[in-house]
Amino acid sequence: MLVEQLQIPLPVLTALGREDFFVSESNAMAVALVEGWENWPSRKMVLNGPAGSGKTHLAHVWAKMSGARIVAAQGLEYADIPDLADGSICVENVDQIAGNMRAEEALFHLHNLVLAQGHSLLLTGTAAPNLWNMNLPDLQSRIMAAQSAALSGPDDMLLSALLVKQFDDRQIVPASDVIPYLLRQMPRSYHAARTIVDRLDRASLTRPSGVNRPLAIQILAEMDDSSEA
Protein backbone atom coordinates (compact mmCIF):
# COMPACT_ATOMS: atom_id res chain seq x y z
CA MET A 1 0.00 0.00 0.00
CA LEU A 2 2.84 2.39 0.86
CA VAL A 3 4.42 1.85 -2.56
CA GLU A 4 1.11 2.59 -4.29
CA GLN A 5 0.64 5.75 -2.26
CA LEU A 6 4.06 7.02 -3.27
CA GLN A 7 3.44 6.43 -6.99
CA ILE A 8 1.94 9.80 -7.84
CA PRO A 9 1.89 11.17 -11.40
CA LEU A 10 4.69 13.65 -12.01
CA PRO A 11 4.26 16.65 -14.30
CA VAL A 12 5.33 16.26 -17.91
CA LEU A 13 8.17 18.75 -18.38
CA THR A 14 8.51 19.10 -22.15
CA ALA A 15 12.03 20.14 -23.18
CA LEU A 16 11.93 22.44 -26.22
CA GLY A 17 15.53 23.67 -26.52
CA ARG A 18 17.71 23.10 -29.59
CA GLU A 19 19.90 20.76 -27.56
CA ASP A 20 16.81 18.59 -26.96
CA PHE A 21 16.03 18.16 -30.66
CA PHE A 22 17.62 15.05 -32.14
CA VAL A 23 18.71 15.34 -35.77
CA SER A 24 18.59 12.35 -38.12
CA GLU A 25 18.22 11.84 -41.86
CA SER A 26 14.43 12.22 -41.61
CA ASN A 27 14.57 15.79 -40.29
CA ALA A 28 18.06 17.12 -41.06
CA MET A 29 16.96 19.27 -44.01
CA ALA A 30 14.15 20.92 -42.02
CA VAL A 31 16.48 21.62 -39.10
CA ALA A 32 19.10 23.15 -41.39
CA LEU A 33 16.54 25.45 -43.00
CA VAL A 34 15.14 26.56 -39.64
CA GLU A 35 18.62 27.29 -38.32
CA GLY A 36 19.40 29.21 -41.52
CA TRP A 37 16.29 31.36 -41.16
CA GLU A 38 18.11 34.61 -41.92
CA ASN A 39 18.58 33.34 -45.49
CA TRP A 40 14.96 32.39 -46.16
CA PRO A 41 13.82 33.64 -49.59
CA SER A 42 11.25 36.40 -49.01
CA ARG A 43 11.83 35.87 -45.24
CA LYS A 44 9.19 33.15 -44.94
CA MET A 45 9.06 29.38 -44.62
CA VAL A 46 6.48 26.59 -44.34
CA LEU A 47 7.18 23.59 -42.10
CA ASN A 48 4.92 20.57 -42.36
CA GLY A 49 4.80 17.07 -40.91
CA PRO A 50 2.61 14.63 -38.99
CA ALA A 51 1.52 15.21 -35.42
CA GLY A 52 4.42 14.71 -33.02
CA SER A 53 7.09 15.10 -35.71
CA GLY A 54 8.69 18.10 -34.00
CA LYS A 55 7.04 21.10 -35.67
CA THR A 56 6.26 22.84 -32.37
CA HIS A 57 9.71 22.00 -31.01
CA LEU A 58 11.39 23.52 -34.08
CA ALA A 59 9.05 26.52 -33.88
CA HIS A 60 10.31 27.17 -30.34
CA VAL A 61 13.90 26.72 -31.48
CA TRP A 62 13.32 29.28 -34.21
CA ALA A 63 11.47 31.65 -31.87
CA LYS A 64 14.42 31.63 -29.49
CA MET A 65 16.88 32.36 -32.30
CA SER A 66 14.80 35.06 -33.98
CA GLY A 67 12.94 36.58 -31.05
CA ALA A 68 9.66 35.60 -32.68
CA ARG A 69 6.30 34.98 -31.10
CA ILE A 70 4.31 31.78 -31.63
CA VAL A 71 0.54 31.85 -32.14
CA ALA A 72 -2.12 29.34 -33.18
CA ALA A 73 -3.88 29.93 -36.50
CA GLN A 74 -7.20 29.21 -34.80
CA GLY A 75 -8.39 32.44 -33.25
CA LEU A 76 -6.45 34.75 -35.56
CA GLU A 77 -9.71 36.42 -36.57
CA TYR A 78 -9.94 37.79 -33.02
CA ALA A 79 -6.29 38.83 -32.75
CA ASP A 80 -4.73 42.28 -32.96
CA ILE A 81 -3.01 41.75 -36.31
CA PRO A 82 -0.92 44.97 -36.31
CA ASP A 83 0.38 44.05 -32.86
CA LEU A 84 1.28 40.51 -33.97
CA ALA A 85 3.01 41.91 -37.05
CA ASP A 86 5.35 44.05 -34.95
CA GLY A 87 8.03 41.36 -35.07
CA SER A 88 8.81 37.94 -36.49
CA ILE A 89 6.11 35.36 -35.86
CA CYS A 90 5.29 31.67 -36.20
CA VAL A 91 1.69 30.69 -36.94
CA GLU A 92 1.00 27.06 -36.10
CA ASN A 93 -1.54 24.64 -37.60
CA VAL A 94 -2.40 26.90 -40.52
CA ASP A 95 -4.07 24.09 -42.46
CA GLN A 96 -6.70 23.84 -39.72
CA ILE A 97 -8.24 27.21 -40.65
CA ALA A 98 -8.99 26.27 -44.27
CA GLY A 99 -12.55 27.39 -44.98
CA ASN A 100 -12.68 29.86 -42.09
CA MET A 101 -12.70 33.03 -44.18
CA ARG A 102 -12.25 35.44 -41.28
CA ALA A 103 -9.22 33.53 -40.04
CA GLU A 104 -7.83 33.24 -43.57
CA GLU A 105 -8.23 36.98 -44.13
CA ALA A 106 -6.53 37.69 -40.81
CA LEU A 107 -3.60 35.48 -41.75
CA PHE A 108 -3.41 37.13 -45.17
CA HIS A 109 -3.11 40.57 -43.58
CA LEU A 110 -0.65 39.27 -40.97
CA HIS A 111 1.51 37.75 -43.71
CA ASN A 112 1.62 41.01 -45.64
CA LEU A 113 2.27 43.24 -42.62
CA VAL A 114 5.02 41.04 -41.14
CA LEU A 115 6.96 40.94 -44.39
CA ALA A 116 6.33 44.59 -45.24
CA GLN A 117 7.90 45.57 -41.92
CA GLY A 118 11.00 43.49 -42.57
CA HIS A 119 10.25 40.62 -40.18
CA SER A 120 10.17 36.87 -40.80
CA LEU A 121 7.26 34.42 -40.89
CA LEU A 122 7.12 30.69 -40.16
CA LEU A 123 3.95 28.74 -40.93
CA THR A 124 3.33 25.16 -39.81
CA GLY A 125 0.80 22.51 -40.75
CA THR A 126 0.31 18.78 -41.00
CA ALA A 127 -0.18 18.30 -44.73
CA ALA A 128 2.05 19.56 -47.51
CA PRO A 129 1.26 23.24 -48.23
CA ASN A 130 -0.29 22.46 -51.63
CA LEU A 131 -2.97 20.53 -49.73
CA TRP A 132 -3.89 23.30 -47.28
CA ASN A 133 -6.76 24.29 -49.60
CA MET A 134 -7.27 27.85 -48.47
CA ASN A 135 -10.45 29.39 -49.84
CA LEU A 136 -8.67 32.74 -50.22
CA PRO A 137 -6.64 32.35 -53.44
CA ASP A 138 -4.23 35.16 -52.59
CA LEU A 139 -3.40 33.49 -49.26
CA GLN A 140 -2.86 30.07 -50.83
CA SER A 141 -0.60 31.57 -53.50
CA ARG A 142 1.51 33.31 -50.85
CA ILE A 143 1.80 30.08 -48.89
CA MET A 144 2.89 28.23 -52.02
CA ALA A 145 5.52 30.90 -52.72
CA ALA A 146 7.28 30.20 -49.40
CA GLN A 147 10.25 27.89 -49.05
CA SER A 148 9.04 24.66 -47.46
CA ALA A 149 10.44 21.69 -45.58
CA ALA A 150 8.78 18.46 -44.51
CA LEU A 151 9.36 16.38 -41.40
CA SER A 152 8.94 12.78 -42.52
CA GLY A 153 8.27 9.64 -40.53
CA PRO A 154 10.93 8.68 -37.95
CA ASP A 155 13.84 6.41 -38.79
CA ASP A 156 15.25 4.08 -36.10
CA MET A 157 17.68 6.67 -34.73
CA LEU A 158 15.00 9.33 -34.44
CA LEU A 159 12.41 6.95 -33.00
CA SER A 160 14.88 5.83 -30.34
CA ALA A 161 15.71 9.44 -29.45
CA LEU A 162 12.00 10.30 -29.36
CA LEU A 163 11.30 7.49 -26.89
CA VAL A 164 14.19 8.64 -24.70
CA LYS A 165 12.88 12.20 -24.76
CA GLN A 166 9.31 11.13 -24.00
CA PHE A 167 10.52 9.17 -20.97
CA ASP A 168 12.75 12.06 -19.86
CA ASP A 169 9.88 14.54 -20.14
CA ARG A 170 7.93 12.31 -17.75
CA GLN A 171 10.90 11.82 -15.43
CA ILE A 172 10.87 8.07 -16.07
CA VAL A 173 13.93 5.82 -16.23
CA PRO A 174 12.85 2.62 -18.03
CA ALA A 175 14.67 -0.67 -17.67
CA SER A 176 17.59 -0.96 -20.10
CA ASP A 177 15.85 -3.48 -22.36
CA VAL A 178 12.59 -1.52 -22.77
CA ILE A 179 13.55 0.86 -25.59
CA PRO A 180 15.33 -1.82 -27.70
CA TYR A 181 12.24 -4.01 -27.32
CA LEU A 182 9.88 -1.19 -28.28
CA LEU A 183 11.95 -0.34 -31.36
CA ARG A 184 11.56 -3.92 -32.61
CA GLN A 185 7.85 -4.25 -31.89
CA MET A 186 6.07 -0.89 -31.99
CA PRO A 187 4.36 0.86 -34.93
CA ARG A 188 6.72 3.28 -36.68
CA SER A 189 5.13 6.62 -35.95
CA TYR A 190 5.46 9.67 -33.71
CA HIS A 191 1.91 9.17 -32.46
CA ALA A 192 2.65 5.57 -31.44
CA ALA A 193 5.75 6.63 -29.49
CA ARG A 194 3.81 9.26 -27.52
CA THR A 195 0.88 6.90 -26.89
CA ILE A 196 3.05 4.00 -25.73
CA VAL A 197 5.11 6.12 -23.33
CA ASP A 198 1.96 7.74 -21.95
CA ARG A 199 0.35 4.33 -21.34
CA LEU A 200 3.53 2.97 -19.77
CA ASP A 201 3.66 6.03 -17.52
CA ARG A 202 0.09 5.56 -16.29
CA ALA A 203 0.36 1.79 -15.96
CA SER A 204 3.58 2.01 -13.94
CA LEU A 205 2.10 4.26 -11.23
CA THR A 206 0.92 1.29 -9.16
CA ARG A 207 3.84 -1.02 -10.00
CA PRO A 208 6.93 -1.00 -7.78
CA SER A 209 8.93 -2.51 -10.66
CA GLY A 210 8.39 0.61 -12.76
CA VAL A 211 8.64 0.56 -16.55
CA ASN A 212 10.15 -2.78 -17.48
CA ARG A 213 9.94 -5.15 -20.44
CA PRO A 214 6.99 -7.24 -19.13
CA LEU A 215 4.98 -4.04 -18.77
CA ALA A 216 6.00 -2.95 -22.28
CA ILE A 217 4.88 -6.34 -23.65
CA GLN A 218 1.55 -5.93 -21.87
CA ILE A 219 0.95 -2.40 -23.16
CA LEU A 220 1.74 -3.31 -26.78
CA ALA A 221 -0.56 -6.35 -26.53
CA GLU A 222 -3.37 -4.16 -25.18
CA MET A 223 -2.86 -1.68 -28.01
CA ASP A 224 -2.98 -4.49 -30.58
CA ASP A 225 -6.19 -5.82 -29.03
CA SER A 226 -7.84 -2.39 -29.04
CA SER A 227 -6.89 -1.77 -32.68
CA GLU A 228 -8.47 -5.07 -33.71
CA ALA A 229 -11.69 -4.51 -31.75
mmCIF file of all heavy atoms in Angstrom, residues 45-56 59 73-74 90-97 122-129 131-132 134 143 149-151:
data_model
loop_
_atom_site.group_PDB
_atom_site.id
_atom_site.type_symbol
_atom_site.label_atom_id
_atom_site.label_comp_id
_atom_site.label_asym_id
_atom_site.label_seq_id
_atom_site.Cartn_x
_atom_site.Cartn_y
_atom_site.Cartn_z
ATOM 1 N N MET A 45 8.865 30.815 -44.445
ATOM 2 C CA MET A 45 9.061 29.385 -44.619
ATOM 3 C C MET A 45 7.831 28.640 -44.124
ATOM 4 O O MET A 45 7.148 29.083 -43.192
ATOM 5 C CB MET A 45 10.298 28.906 -43.849
ATOM 6 C CG MET A 45 10.531 27.406 -43.926
ATOM 7 S SD MET A 45 12.029 26.909 -43.037
ATOM 8 C CE MET A 45 11.722 25.154 -42.840
ATOM 9 N N VAL A 46 7.546 27.494 -44.755
ATOM 10 C CA VAL A 46 6.477 26.590 -44.335
ATOM 11 C C VAL A 46 7.113 25.295 -43.846
ATOM 12 O O VAL A 46 7.984 24.726 -44.522
ATOM 13 C CB VAL A 46 5.507 26.284 -45.485
ATOM 14 C CG1 VAL A 46 4.523 25.193 -45.084
ATOM 15 C CG2 VAL A 46 4.751 27.545 -45.892
ATOM 16 N N LEU A 47 6.692 24.846 -42.675
ATOM 17 C CA LEU A 47 7.181 23.595 -42.096
ATOM 18 C C LEU A 47 5.991 22.671 -41.898
ATOM 19 O O LEU A 47 5.020 23.033 -41.219
ATOM 20 C CB LEU A 47 7.859 23.882 -40.749
ATOM 21 C CG LEU A 47 8.450 22.700 -39.985
ATOM 22 C CD1 LEU A 47 9.602 22.073 -40.763
ATOM 23 C CD2 LEU A 47 8.927 23.143 -38.603
ATOM 24 N N ASN A 48 6.036 21.489 -42.511
ATOM 25 C CA ASN A 48 4.918 20.568 -42.363
ATOM 26 C C ASN A 48 5.396 19.179 -41.961
ATOM 27 O O ASN A 48 6.542 18.800 -42.189
ATOM 28 C CB ASN A 48 4.095 20.491 -43.652
ATOM 29 C CG ASN A 48 4.804 19.758 -44.773
ATOM 30 O OD1 ASN A 48 5.627 20.344 -45.474
ATOM 31 N ND2 ASN A 48 4.484 18.491 -44.960
ATOM 32 N N GLY A 49 4.490 18.430 -41.341
ATOM 33 C CA GLY A 49 4.798 17.074 -40.910
ATOM 34 C C GLY A 49 3.691 16.539 -40.032
ATOM 35 O O GLY A 49 2.850 17.299 -39.535
ATOM 36 N N PRO A 50 3.666 15.225 -39.807
ATOM 37 C CA PRO A 50 2.606 14.625 -38.994
ATOM 38 C C PRO A 50 2.673 15.070 -37.546
ATOM 39 O O PRO A 50 3.690 15.598 -37.082
ATOM 40 C CB PRO A 50 2.872 13.120 -39.130
ATOM 41 C CG PRO A 50 4.326 13.015 -39.479
ATOM 42 C CD PRO A 50 4.624 14.229 -40.309
ATOM 43 N N ALA A 51 1.575 14.858 -36.836
ATOM 44 C CA ALA A 51 1.520 15.208 -35.415
ATOM 45 C C ALA A 51 2.655 14.517 -34.667
ATOM 46 O O ALA A 51 2.922 13.330 -34.874
ATOM 47 C CB ALA A 51 0.173 14.796 -34.830
ATOM 48 N N GLY A 52 3.334 15.267 -33.816
ATOM 49 C CA GLY A 52 4.421 14.711 -33.020
ATOM 50 C C GLY A 52 5.757 14.675 -33.721
ATOM 51 O O GLY A 52 6.751 14.199 -33.155
ATOM 52 N N SER A 53 5.841 15.194 -34.949
ATOM 53 C CA SER A 53 7.088 15.099 -35.708
ATOM 54 C C SER A 53 8.120 16.141 -35.299
ATOM 55 O O SER A 53 9.262 16.078 -35.738
ATOM 56 C CB SER A 53 6.803 15.223 -37.209
ATOM 57 O OG SER A 53 6.164 16.455 -37.500
ATOM 58 N N GLY A 54 7.730 17.116 -34.483
ATOM 59 C CA GLY A 54 8.687 18.102 -34.000
ATOM 60 C C GLY A 54 8.452 19.506 -34.505
ATOM 61 O O GLY A 54 9.308 20.384 -34.318
ATOM 62 N N LYS A 55 7.301 19.762 -35.138
ATOM 63 C CA LYS A 55 7.036 21.104 -35.669
ATOM 64 C C LYS A 55 7.034 22.150 -34.555
ATOM 65 O O LYS A 55 7.665 23.204 -34.680
ATOM 66 C CB LYS A 55 5.691 21.130 -36.398
ATOM 67 C CG LYS A 55 5.608 20.236 -37.616
ATOM 68 C CD LYS A 55 4.316 20.450 -38.389
ATOM 69 C CE LYS A 55 3.065 20.162 -37.579
ATOM 70 N NZ LYS A 55 2.954 18.738 -37.199
ATOM 71 N N THR A 56 6.315 21.871 -33.472
ATOM 72 C CA THR A 56 6.257 22.837 -32.367
ATOM 73 C C THR A 56 7.626 23.012 -31.726
ATOM 74 O O THR A 56 8.016 24.126 -31.362
ATOM 75 C CB THR A 56 5.221 22.392 -31.326
ATOM 76 O OG1 THR A 56 3.909 22.474 -31.908
ATOM 77 C CG2 THR A 56 5.264 23.290 -30.085
ATOM 78 N N ALA A 59 9.576 25.146 -33.954
ATOM 79 C CA ALA A 59 9.053 26.517 -33.877
ATOM 80 C C ALA A 59 9.623 27.242 -32.666
ATOM 81 O O ALA A 59 9.988 28.421 -32.745
ATOM 82 C CB ALA A 59 7.526 26.490 -33.811
ATOM 83 N N ALA A 73 -3.074 29.367 -35.414
ATOM 84 C CA ALA A 73 -3.877 29.933 -36.496
ATOM 85 C C ALA A 73 -5.334 30.089 -36.070
ATOM 86 O O ALA A 73 -5.988 31.076 -36.419
ATOM 87 C CB ALA A 73 -3.778 29.045 -37.737
ATOM 88 N N GLN A 74 -5.843 29.105 -35.301
ATOM 89 C CA GLN A 74 -7.201 29.206 -34.804
ATOM 90 C C GLN A 74 -7.296 30.395 -33.853
ATOM 91 O O GLN A 74 -6.514 30.508 -32.917
ATOM 92 C CB GLN A 74 -7.614 27.935 -34.070
ATOM 93 C CG GLN A 74 -7.583 26.678 -34.924
ATOM 94 C CD GLN A 74 -6.239 25.969 -34.881
ATOM 95 O OE1 GLN A 74 -5.204 26.615 -34.695
ATOM 96 N NE2 GLN A 74 -6.254 24.666 -35.015
ATOM 97 N N CYS A 90 5.624 33.010 -35.709
ATOM 98 C CA CYS A 90 5.287 31.668 -36.198
ATOM 99 C C CYS A 90 3.798 31.457 -35.987
ATOM 100 O O CYS A 90 3.286 31.665 -34.883
ATOM 101 C CB CYS A 90 6.090 30.601 -35.450
ATOM 102 S SG CYS A 90 5.527 28.911 -35.788
ATOM 103 N N VAL A 91 3.109 31.025 -37.033
ATOM 104 C CA VAL A 91 1.692 30.691 -36.941
ATOM 105 C C VAL A 91 1.572 29.180 -37.118
ATOM 106 O O VAL A 91 1.928 28.634 -38.165
ATOM 107 C CB VAL A 91 0.861 31.421 -38.006
ATOM 108 C CG1 VAL A 91 -0.623 31.099 -37.824
ATOM 109 C CG2 VAL A 91 1.096 32.930 -37.932
ATOM 110 N N GLU A 92 1.084 28.515 -36.086
ATOM 111 C CA GLU A 92 1.003 27.056 -36.096
ATOM 112 C C GLU A 92 -0.351 26.555 -36.576
ATOM 113 O O GLU A 92 -1.382 27.202 -36.400
ATOM 114 C CB GLU A 92 1.275 26.506 -34.693
ATOM 115 C CG GLU A 92 2.716 26.673 -34.241
ATOM 116 C CD GLU A 92 3.077 25.706 -33.145
ATOM 117 O OE1 GLU A 92 2.637 25.908 -32.002
ATOM 118 O OE2 GLU A 92 3.789 24.732 -33.442
ATOM 119 N N ASN A 93 -0.327 25.360 -37.186
ATOM 120 C CA ASN A 93 -1.539 24.640 -37.603
ATOM 121 C C ASN A 93 -2.380 25.456 -38.576
ATOM 122 O O ASN A 93 -3.604 25.527 -38.469
ATOM 123 C CB ASN A 93 -2.376 24.240 -36.382
ATOM 124 C CG ASN A 93 -1.599 23.394 -35.399
ATOM 125 O OD1 ASN A 93 -0.907 22.453 -35.798
ATOM 126 N ND2 ASN A 93 -1.682 23.728 -34.124
ATOM 127 N N VAL A 94 -1.706 26.046 -39.554
ATOM 128 C CA VAL A 94 -2.396 26.898 -40.516
ATOM 129 C C VAL A 94 -3.422 26.114 -41.324
ATOM 130 O O VAL A 94 -4.507 26.626 -41.644
ATOM 131 C CB VAL A 94 -1.379 27.584 -41.447
ATOM 132 C CG1 VAL A 94 -2.079 28.308 -42.588
ATOM 133 C CG2 VAL A 94 -0.510 28.549 -40.653
ATOM 134 N N ASP A 95 -3.122 24.858 -41.655
ATOM 135 C CA ASP A 95 -4.068 24.089 -42.462
ATOM 136 C C ASP A 95 -5.401 23.862 -41.767
ATOM 137 O O ASP A 95 -6.404 23.544 -42.411
ATOM 138 C CB ASP A 95 -3.456 22.753 -42.902
ATOM 139 C CG ASP A 95 -2.799 21.962 -41.786
ATOM 140 O OD1 ASP A 95 -2.602 22.513 -40.690
ATOM 141 O OD2 ASP A 95 -2.463 20.789 -42.015
ATOM 142 N N GLN A 96 -5.453 24.053 -40.450
ATOM 143 C CA GLN A 96 -6.697 23.839 -39.718
ATOM 144 C C GLN A 96 -7.692 24.993 -39.873
ATOM 145 O O GLN A 96 -8.841 24.873 -39.439
ATOM 146 C CB GLN A 96 -6.409 23.585 -38.243
ATOM 147 C CG GLN A 96 -5.660 22.286 -38.001
ATOM 148 C CD GLN A 96 -5.437 22.000 -36.523
ATOM 149 O OE1 GLN A 96 -6.055 22.606 -35.654
ATOM 150 N NE2 GLN A 96 -4.545 21.064 -36.239
ATOM 151 N N ILE A 97 -7.296 26.105 -40.473
ATOM 152 C CA ILE A 97 -8.241 27.213 -40.651
ATOM 153 C C ILE A 97 -8.795 27.266 -42.074
ATOM 154 O O ILE A 97 -9.529 28.196 -42.422
ATOM 155 C CB ILE A 97 -7.622 28.578 -40.286
ATOM 156 C CG1 ILE A 97 -6.472 28.935 -41.240
ATOM 157 C CG2 ILE A 97 -7.165 28.596 -38.836
ATOM 158 C CD1 ILE A 97 -5.990 30.374 -41.092
ATOM 159 N N LEU A 122 7.088 32.144 -40.076
ATOM 160 C CA LEU A 122 7.122 30.686 -40.156
ATOM 161 C C LEU A 122 5.698 30.173 -40.019
ATOM 162 O O LEU A 122 4.983 30.547 -39.074
ATOM 163 C CB LEU A 122 8.005 30.105 -39.049
ATOM 164 C CG LEU A 122 8.058 28.578 -38.940
ATOM 165 C CD1 LEU A 122 8.677 27.964 -40.199
ATOM 166 C CD2 LEU A 122 8.852 28.145 -37.700
ATOM 167 N N LEU A 123 5.276 29.338 -40.959
ATOM 168 C CA LEU A 123 3.948 28.741 -40.931
ATOM 169 C C LEU A 123 4.094 27.229 -40.792
ATOM 170 O O LEU A 123 4.950 26.622 -41.446
ATOM 171 C CB LEU A 123 3.177 29.054 -42.221
ATOM 172 C CG LEU A 123 3.046 30.530 -42.616
ATOM 173 C CD1 LEU A 123 2.354 30.640 -43.969
ATOM 174 C CD2 LEU A 123 2.282 31.303 -41.553
ATOM 175 N N THR A 124 3.270 26.608 -39.958
ATOM 176 C CA THR A 124 3.331 25.156 -39.811
ATOM 177 C C THR A 124 1.975 24.531 -40.093
ATOM 178 O O THR A 124 0.925 25.162 -39.947
ATOM 179 C CB THR A 124 3.790 24.724 -38.400
ATOM 180 O OG1 THR A 124 2.701 24.868 -37.465
ATOM 181 C CG2 THR A 124 4.983 25.522 -37.923
ATOM 182 N N GLY A 125 2.013 23.268 -40.502
ATOM 183 C CA GLY A 125 0.796 22.507 -40.749
ATOM 184 C C GLY A 125 1.124 21.034 -40.874
ATOM 185 O O GLY A 125 2.304 20.657 -40.955
ATOM 186 N N THR A 126 0.105 20.222 -40.908
ATOM 187 C CA THR A 126 0.306 18.777 -40.997
ATOM 188 C C THR A 126 0.575 18.330 -42.430
ATOM 189 O O THR A 126 1.562 17.669 -42.716
ATOM 190 C CB THR A 126 -0.918 18.035 -40.434
ATOM 191 O OG1 THR A 126 -1.133 18.430 -39.077
ATOM 192 C CG2 THR A 126 -0.698 16.524 -40.475
ATOM 193 N N ALA A 127 -0.312 18.705 -43.335
ATOM 194 C CA ALA A 127 -0.179 18.297 -44.734
ATOM 195 C C ALA A 127 0.827 19.170 -45.466
ATOM 196 O O ALA A 127 1.233 20.231 -44.977
ATOM 197 C CB ALA A 127 -1.539 18.381 -45.423
ATOM 198 N N ALA A 128 1.216 18.728 -46.645
ATOM 199 C CA ALA A 128 2.051 19.555 -47.512
ATOM 200 C C ALA A 128 1.281 20.820 -47.867
ATOM 201 O O ALA A 128 0.048 20.788 -47.991
ATOM 202 C CB ALA A 128 2.418 18.783 -48.772
ATOM 203 N N PRO A 129 1.968 21.965 -48.029
ATOM 204 C CA PRO A 129 1.263 23.240 -48.225
ATOM 205 C C PRO A 129 0.328 23.265 -49.430
ATOM 206 O O PRO A 129 -0.668 23.977 -49.425
ATOM 207 C CB PRO A 129 2.391 24.263 -48.348
ATOM 208 C CG PRO A 129 3.639 23.474 -48.563
ATOM 209 C CD PRO A 129 3.415 22.155 -47.919
ATOM 210 N N LEU A 131 -1.730 21.172 -50.142
ATOM 211 C CA LEU A 131 -2.972 20.527 -49.726
ATOM 212 C C LEU A 131 -3.692 21.307 -48.633
ATOM 213 O O LEU A 131 -4.668 20.825 -48.069
ATOM 214 C CB LEU A 131 -2.689 19.097 -49.225
ATOM 215 C CG LEU A 131 -2.033 18.149 -50.237
ATOM 216 C CD1 LEU A 131 -1.734 16.805 -49.577
ATOM 217 C CD2 LEU A 131 -2.937 17.954 -51.456
ATOM 218 N N TRP A 132 -3.241 22.513 -48.337
ATOM 219 C CA TRP A 132 -3.895 23.299 -47.283
ATOM 220 C C TRP A 132 -5.245 23.841 -47.736
ATOM 221 O O TRP A 132 -6.096 24.139 -46.891
ATOM 222 C CB TRP A 132 -2.964 24.430 -46.821
ATOM 223 C CG TRP A 132 -1.808 23.925 -46.004
ATOM 224 C CD1 TRP A 132 -1.461 22.621 -45.791
ATOM 225 C CD2 TRP A 132 -0.842 24.715 -45.302
ATOM 226 N NE1 TRP A 132 -0.336 22.532 -45.014
ATOM 227 C CE2 TRP A 132 0.071 23.810 -44.693
ATOM 228 C CE3 TRP A 132 -0.647 26.072 -45.149
ATOM 229 C CZ2 TRP A 132 1.144 24.243 -43.913
ATOM 230 C CZ3 TRP A 132 0.433 26.507 -44.381
ATOM 231 C CH2 TRP A 132 1.311 25.603 -43.769
ATOM 232 N N MET A 134 -6.685 26.605 -48.942
ATOM 233 C CA MET A 134 -7.269 27.851 -48.474
ATOM 234 C C MET A 134 -8.304 28.358 -49.477
ATOM 235 O O MET A 134 -8.095 28.293 -50.683
ATOM 236 C CB MET A 134 -6.174 28.906 -48.274
ATOM 237 C CG MET A 134 -5.146 28.540 -47.208
ATOM 238 S SD MET A 134 -5.860 28.517 -45.554
ATOM 239 C CE MET A 134 -4.775 27.360 -44.719
ATOM 240 N N ILE A 143 1.296 31.265 -49.589
ATOM 241 C CA ILE A 143 1.803 30.081 -48.893
ATOM 242 C C ILE A 143 2.657 29.245 -49.841
ATOM 243 O O ILE A 143 3.754 28.789 -49.484
ATOM 244 C CB ILE A 143 0.636 29.250 -48.334
ATOM 245 C CG1 ILE A 143 -0.040 29.990 -47.170
ATOM 246 C CG2 ILE A 143 1.118 27.868 -47.880
ATOM 247 C CD1 ILE A 143 -1.349 29.371 -46.709
ATOM 248 N N ALA A 149 9.690 22.876 -46.005
ATOM 249 C CA ALA A 149 10.437 21.686 -45.582
ATOM 250 C C ALA A 149 9.471 20.747 -44.881
ATOM 251 O O ALA A 149 8.558 21.195 -44.176
ATOM 252 C CB ALA A 149 11.580 22.064 -44.649
ATOM 253 N N ALA A 150 9.663 19.466 -45.100
ATOM 254 C CA ALA A 150 8.779 18.463 -44.505
ATOM 255 C C ALA A 150 9.534 17.618 -43.489
ATOM 256 O O ALA A 150 10.700 17.261 -43.700
ATOM 257 C CB ALA A 150 8.201 17.564 -45.592
ATOM 258 N N LEU A 151 8.861 17.330 -42.388
ATOM 259 C CA LEU A 151 9.364 16.383 -41.399
ATOM 260 C C LEU A 151 8.708 15.046 -41.700
ATOM 261 O O LEU A 151 7.489 14.905 -41.573
ATOM 262 C CB LEU A 151 9.016 16.856 -39.986
ATOM 263 C CG LEU A 151 9.700 18.148 -39.540
ATOM 264 C CD1 LEU A 151 9.018 18.715 -38.301
ATOM 265 C CD2 LEU A 151 11.173 17.901 -39.257
#
